[in-house]
Amino acid sequence: MQDLPDRGKGTVSFPALRAGGIGLVVATQIARFVGKDNPLPGWHSPQQAWAQTQGQLAWYKAMERAGELFAVTDLASLEKHLANWQASQEPEFADLRGVKTKAEYAIKPPIGYIRSLEGADSLVNLDDLHIAYADGLRAVGPAHYGPGRYANGTDAKGHLTDMGKALLKEMAGLNMILDVTHLCDDAFWDALELYDGRVWASHNNCRSLVPHNRQFSDEMIKALIERDAVIGGALDAWMMVPDWQRGVSTPRSMDCNLIKLVDHMDHICQLAGDALHIGIGTDLDGAFGQEQCPYDLDTIQDLQSLPELLDSRGYKEADIQQVMSGNWLRFLRDAWRDSAVATKKS
């Protein structure tokens, strides 16, 4: 099939994730509502958008039943998955916690996934947030591209709507993670002021290196550092190098390689004074493939070259481990430990 530019150029698959030792991912649901004056692709009612996200949920659940995925929704399931994933990576590790036999895990360990809603348009009302939470949703980004029902996103302007403010209040009550990825500047600052829960940026880069409203300014990055957030570096080429022209530029012609991701990561580290606020975000499931990602990445397995690149920039082994997994795991453990404590108190 040749109908889309990324056909046959995908970089993410279950085998490639396993080959790269990538055992935990953030998996999205996404469906945009578009009004009559909105030229972006999407659905013409929130109810239609909700139905699309439920179809995506059905696929994730089917992959769970097939043994491909394992839902991570709280501290207990996180630790259980990490122990079992470690068992699959190290044959001498014997404690499988009773999930599968050692032979089965060695062949095809399930990949842990944390479900996130990218753009909240599909939530018809806040009752749907509670339904989604009960189904395992743990993070929400209020906006995607353009104007949204709850917030304005990339290439749009304006503050959180009243619905958006109410959404954040409900999310805080559920101890959900707020994903500030894609929020326009006004909505970003609104969200940080109003939300007192845990905040992350699942896939964002630096505006000072690639000027565009999709990226974070240094002031935004510093504010996230103050909130102990983690920012996942994105591998969409136009976000990595300046002056990318869609449909014209190629990764090689723009010298877009994985070291450019390290440039963005390092910029955040220089602002922070440490390596505790960066991680891997990729966005490689974002409807683009090799035509629009680093030329030295054939599949997501090639993320395993990042430690060497970080080492060449002077990062110590402990810092590299934080970037590869430690920062995200610390964030999740802290967030879900808070949730467990709150549940016991209630």
Side-chain angles (χ1 to χ4, degrees), residues 23-27 60-61 64 68-85 105 110-116 132-133 135-139 177 200 328-329 332-333 336:
L24 185 64
V25 300
V26 175
Y60 288 130
K61 294 295 186 182
E64 286 184 48
E68 299 285 358
L69 293 176
F70 177 83
V72 175
T73 59
D74 56 17
L75 188 60
S77 57
L78 174 66
E79 300 297 356
K80 179 179 180 179
H81 172 67
L82 292 176
N84 287 320
W85 180 264
Y105 250 95
I111 295 160
Y113 79 108
I114 301 160
R115 212 166 79 246
S116 176
Y133 180 84
D135 283 334
L137 184 70
R138 289 298 179 266
I177 297 163
W200 72 20
W328 287 125
L329 293 178
L332 289 167
R333 284 172 169 139
W336 287 340

Side-chain angles (χ1 to χ4, degrees), residues 288-304:
F288 66 92
Q290 294 163 344
E291 82 288 354
Q292 198 172 308
C293 74
Y295 64 75
D296 50 351
L297 187 144
D298 182 52
T299 75
I300 200 166
Q301 177 181 354
D302 295 319
L303 292 178
Q304 287 298 335

Side-chain angles (χ1 to χ4, degrees), residues 29 73 115-117 123 126 128-134 136-141 167-179 195-200 227 331 335-336 339:
Q29 292 172 276
T73 59
R115 212 166 79 246
S116 176
L117 183 63
L123 299 175
L126 294 182
D128 287 341
L129 178 68
H130 289 269
I131 293 170
Y133 180 84
L137 184 70
R138 289 298 179 266
V140 176
L167 172 67
L168 294 189
K169 184 177 180 179
E170 291 296 311
M171 286 175 57
L174 294 169
N175 195 44
M176 299 186 78
I177 297 163
L178 170 64
D179 190 349
Y195 199 70
D196 59 4
R198 297 284 173 165
V199 178
W200 72 20
R227 294 289 294 268
F331 179 98
W336 287 340
S339 180

Side-chain angles (χ1 to χ4, degrees), residues 19 49 175 195 222 249 263 271 286 293 300 322:
N175 195 44
Y195 199 70
K222 290 176 182 177
S249 298
D263 290 341
L271 294 174
C293 74
I300 200 166
Q322 294 295 335

Side-chain angles (χ1 to χ4, degrees), residues 41-256:
W43 304 96
H44 298 295
S45 72
Q47 290 82 359
Q48 287 175 301
W50 170 262
Q52 294 302 312
T53 64
Q54 297 313 288
Q56 295 158 13
L57 173 59
W59 186 84
Y60 288 130
K61 294 295 186 182
M63 292 301 99
E64 286 184 48
R65 293 192 296 273
E68 299 285 358
L69 293 176
F70 177 83
V72 175
T73 59
D74 56 17
L75 188 60
S77 57
L78 174 66
E79 300 297 356
K80 179 179 180 179
H81 172 67
L82 292 176
N84 287 320
W85 180 264
Q86 182 72 6
S88 75
Q89 305 299 300
E90 299 181 13
E92 69 275 13
F93 190 91
D95 182 10
L96 292 176
R97 307 295 170 89
V99 177
K100 285 195 174 185
T101 67
K102 196 176 190 66
E104 287 174 316
Y105 250 95
I107 295 171
K108 193 180 72 172
I111 295 160
Y113 79 108
I114 301 160
R115 212 166 79 246
S116 176
L117 183 63
E118 191 168 10
D121 283 356
S122 60
L123 299 175
V124 180
N125 54 50
L126 294 182
D127 289 341
D128 287 341
L129 178 68
H130 289 269
I131 293 170
Y133 180 84
D135 283 334
L137 184 70
R138 289 298 179 266
V140 176
H144 190 231
Y145 274 79
R149 299 174 62 232
Y150 294 89
N152 293 292
T154 302
D155 291 335
K157 295 181 179 180
H159 295 271
L160 289 176
T161 66
D162 288 342
M163 290 174 57
K165 295 174 183 177
L167 172 67
L168 294 189
K169 184 177 180 179
E170 291 296 311
M171 286 175 57
L174 294 169
N175 195 44
M176 299 186 78
I177 297 163
L178 170 64
D179 190 349
V180 294
T181 300
H182 280 294
L183 287 176
C184 73
D185 288 18
D186 291 333
F188 173 92
W189 293 113
D190 286 346
L192 285 196
E193 180 180 354
L194 293 172
Y195 199 70
D196 59 4
R198 297 284 173 165
V199 178
W200 72 20
S202 56
H203 53 294
N204 266 92
N205 289 344
C206 305
R207 194 176 298 181
S208 63
L209 301 184
V210 179
H212 191 276
N213 68 80
R214 171 67 177 84
Q215 319 275 48
F216 286 145
S217 68
D218 285 0
E219 291 73 20
M220 298 164 87
I221 293 170
K222 290 176 182 177
L224 290 172
I225 291 168
E226 290 177 2
R227 294 289 294 268
D228 201 25
V230 178
I231 303 169
L235 289 173
D236 197 340
W238 78 270
M239 296 176 59
M240 300 178 68
V241 294
D243 303 319
W244 179 275
Q245 294 179 282
R246 291 180 183 273
V248 177
S249 298
T250 66
R252 285 200 174 274
S253 70
M254 300 299 289
D255 194 30
C256 181

